[in-house]
Amino acid sequence: MEFQLPDSNWTPGLVFAGFVITLGVAVPAGFQGSIINAPAEYIQAWCRAVISTRFGIWLSDEELNLLWASIVTVAILFGVFISIFGGILTCKFGRKKSFLICGIVLALAAPCFLLCRTTSSIELLFLGRAIAGSGLGLAIAVLPLYLTELSPLKLRGAVGVLVPIGITAGVVLGQVVGLDQVLGDEDSWQYALSCYALMLVLCFVPYCWLPESPEYLFKVKNDPEGAVEAIRKIFGQHSVGDDYFMCVKVDHVDCEKTKSMSLLAVLKDPSLRLPLVLLCCMSAGNGFSGINAIFFYSVSTLERIGLPANEAKLVSVGLGCVNLVCSACGPYLMARFNRRPLMLISCTACSITLLLVTLMIIFVESVTWFAEASIAAMLLFIIAFQIGVGQIPFFIGSVKLQLFNLDARSSAIALGSLGAGMSNLIISMVFPIMQHAWGAYAFLPFSVYCVMLAALVKRFLPETRGRSVGDVARLMANGFRKFDNPQP
């Protein structure tokens, strides 16, 4: 008898786990991705004053911009580096303890933010950003794996997108908290940066009631009794009977313990090369699709089309809210539609809407209504992004019946997280230079990437919904040669 979770709908245990994991870590992690942007001018002024007082040096605008870029980028750098260890963490400590470690790492950053202004320490601000980036990198690698392994087959797509929903909600929350009218003013920005710690209570308090991944217990820890107990914790005491318990226990006698593949082993395995390229390219789409260029520099882009600074900040929050609403539709879409056509539609629509944004910003002075139309095009881009590019990469590598078996899954997800982190790092560093040099044309490379990603998906990604790993493996057996893709 093969070990599998009950074919169940949403249960109180699954809802509880999804709620705690999403609000306990995903939302605080997303919060750290956006909170630094709105109060930037006040933090920069504080940095300049601190350096002037401590060292007697008055930073020029160019030197201050370099310092600020370092403060922003250090979180992304540490996130990229630490995400590689997410796979190691989930294998060594399990999915549940790895979730707790993510919360602990994020919590360690809060006192650094809270005390940096009191102690006039830019070093504490740097340290807080580095720790917070590490927590975000771990969360992206750990949370999708944990959530999808807790869910039954028919809900894994819907449950898997809870992580991007939580991160998106955290981004919007950070945008709101960072407004001058809330906590992002000159006197309170340190509280804005550290208040996310209150949400981490949802990670620590209910931790003992969370189950471990049944699949991890059964196949990695060699613990069939613990796996069945975890199933009952998620789906109810009567979800599996004693007969199931005995069959699993007997079957497990001849079952070899699953060993996780290292990063190097995954990279060297020819059979995993194509799915790994697909996962990394789709994960990198979270940055190279242009979504981070829209949100990281939304205020400057909106000011470029003629909006005053205050209106630009409010419109930026509005774009974030639309992003959250569209992200919340993810469970519905993933439960009812195939992954491959969603990715194709999403990539194509992202490319077209970015092209429209570019053209409208170029001709905004010639056609007065192009200012409003460019904002509408940004809204359409966000909708297109959340249909597929913003959702599917978070779970397609982590779900049992998608691209990777259990032995390669942790390392593959770590590499996918590395792709996403590297794309975010490159965009955060390069896009301001591109925008300064090219103006509105800076959005065109993202449009081209979306076209290339659509071509890659169309040629090499088989439909994974409703298929086993064996079925997907047979479809991808020819590697980078064209596959036959009958509908599931």
Side-chain angles (χ1 to χ4, degrees):
M1 178 180 179
E2 183 182 355
F3 178 83
Q4 59 184 3
L5 298 182
D7 185 18
S8 171
N9 292 312
W10 290 93
T11 63
L14 185 58
V15 171
F16 172 76
F19 178 84
V20 171
I21 294 168
T22 302
L23 292 185
V25 169
V27 173
F31 182 91
Q32 282 302 314
S34 65
I35 187 58
I36 197 73
N37 297 324
E41 58 180 310
Y42 304 122
I43 304 176
Q44 289 177 29
W46 171 77
C47 290
R48 177 179 268 166
V50 168
I51 290 179
S52 176
T53 301
R54 289 175 58 184
F55 304 105
I57 300 173
W58 184 258
L59 296 180
S60 65
D61 289 343
E62 292 77 12
E63 291 169 335
L64 182 62
N65 288 335
L66 181 61
L67 174 64
W68 182 248
S70 301
I71 292 172
V72 172
T73 306
V74 68
I76 304 175
L77 277 171
F78 272 78
V80 171
F81 177 73
I82 297 298
S83 67
I84 300 174
F85 297 95
I88 300 173
L89 201 69
T90 53
C91 292
K92 184 173 181 61
F93 298 103
R95 289 32 167 170
K96 180 180 175 180
K97 288 182 180 178
S98 298
F99 163 73
L100 181 64
I101 292 171
C102 290
I104 292 172
V105 172
L106 285 169
L108 292 174
C112 297
F113 294 134
L114 190 62
L115 297 175
C116 66
R117 185 171 183 182
T118 304
T119 58
S120 297
S121 174
I122 297 177
E123 294 85 353
L124 272 180
L125 179 60
F126 264 101
L127 181 61
R129 290 288 295 165
I131 295 173
S134 301
L136 176 58
L138 284 178
I140 292 174
V142 169
L143 301 190
L145 181 63
Y146 186 22
L147 269 174
T148 52
E149 287 188 1
L150 292 179
S151 56
L153 172 60
K154 65 181 180 182
L155 293 179
R156 283 187 167 177
V159 173
V161 297
L162 290 179
V163 176
I165 291 174
I167 291 176
T168 303
V171 169
V172 175
L173 183 61
Q175 290 176 318
V176 173
V177 172
L179 292 173
D180 289 0
Q181 297 86 342
V182 188
L183 288 176
D185 59 18
E186 186 176 5
D187 298 321
S188 305
W189 57 261
Q190 71 274 23
Y191 302 115
L193 266 60
S194 57
C195 68
Y196 74 95
L198 298 174
M199 291 181 284
L200 293 173
V201 174
L202 292 172
C203 165
F204 299 130
V205 173
Y207 172 77
C208 60
W209 287 284
L210 286 176
E212 178 57 274
S213 160
E215 189 173 1
Y216 170 80
L217 291 171
F218 184 80
K219 294 184 176 180
V220 178
K221 297 301 290 182
N222 203 21
D223 182 10
E225 294 88 349
V228 172
E229 185 60 33
I231 290 175
R232 288 173 172 169
K233 198 170 186 178
I234 303 167
F235 301 102
Q237 288 298 319
H238 302 292
S239 56
V240 290
D242 292 336
D243 54 340
Y244 177 89
F245 177 83
M246 293 304 299
C247 288
V248 167
K249 191 172 182 180
V250 170
D251 178 68
H252 192 266
V253 172
D254 299 322
C255 178
E256 293 185 2
K257 183 178 178 180
T258 300
K259 295 182 179 179
S260 296
M261 297 176 65
S262 66
L263 293 173
L264 188 60
V266 170
L267 288 170
K268 286 184 175 180
D269 192 334
S271 66
L272 298 177
R273 201 157 293 153
L274 175 57
L276 194 59
V277 168
L278 286 167
L279 176 61
C280 290
C281 289
M282 288 191 291
S283 297
N286 277 278
F288 291 145
S289 66
I291 190 68
N292 288 332
I294 292 289
F295 280 110
F296 285 179
Y297 304 100
S298 58
V299 175
S300 62
T301 302
L302 292 167
E303 288 176 349
R304 185 180 291 271
I305 64 175
L307 291 183
N310 289 335
E311 289 185 21
K313 287 183 180 181
L314 292 175
V315 172
S316 179
V317 173
L319 292 175
C321 292
V322 172
N323 192 36
L324 175 58
V325 172
C326 296
S327 179
C329 297
Y332 175 85
L333 293 174
M334 296 307 120
R336 289 164 177 78
F337 299 99
N338 289 347
R339 308 347 177 183
R340 188 168 180 265
L342 285 176
M343 276 295 294
L344 288 172
I345 293 171
S346 178
C347 291
T348 304
C350 283
S351 178
I352 294 171
T353 50
L354 282 172
L355 184 61
L356 290 175
V357 169
T358 301
L359 293 174
M360 288 175 182
I361 294 178
I362 292 172
F363 296 106
V364 69
E365 295 182 0
S366 304
V367 184
T368 55
W369 57 271
F370 269 14
E372 293 78 9
S374 62
I375 297 175
M378 290 181 192
L379 290 173
L380 291 175
F381 167 76
I382 290 170
I383 294 171
F385 174 80
Q386 290 295 354
I387 288 174
V389 179
Q391 304 271 354
I392 293 174
F394 275 91
F395 71 89
I396 196 165
S398 59
V399 185
K400 178 183 176 183
L401 301 185
Q402 300 292 328
L403 296 182
F404 298 97
N405 277 308
L406 182 64
D407 56 352
R409 195 179 307 158
S410 296
S411 295
I413 291 174
L415 291 169
S417 300
L418 178 62
M422 287 299 297
S423 67
N424 291 334
L425 176 62
I426 293 170
I427 295 306
S428 67
M429 296 176 65
V430 174
F431 184 75
I433 301 173
M434 293 168 55
Q435 194 176 40
H436 178 74
W438 299 348
Y441 292 102
F443 290 103
L444 286 181
F446 306 125
S447 180
V448 173
Y449 183 87
C450 290
V451 172
M452 295 171 61
L453 184 59
L456 182 69
V457 168
K458 187 177 191 316
R459 181 167 180 81
F460 295 116
L461 180 68
E463 180 52 57
T464 59
R465 181 170 175 256
R467 282 184 171 140
S468 68
V469 169
D471 292 337
V472 175
R474 282 190 292 273
L475 288 172
M476 304 180 80
N478 291 328
F480 287 94
R481 287 175 289 177
K482 179 69 176 175
F483 62 84
D484 184 21
N485 185 37
Q487 292 298 313

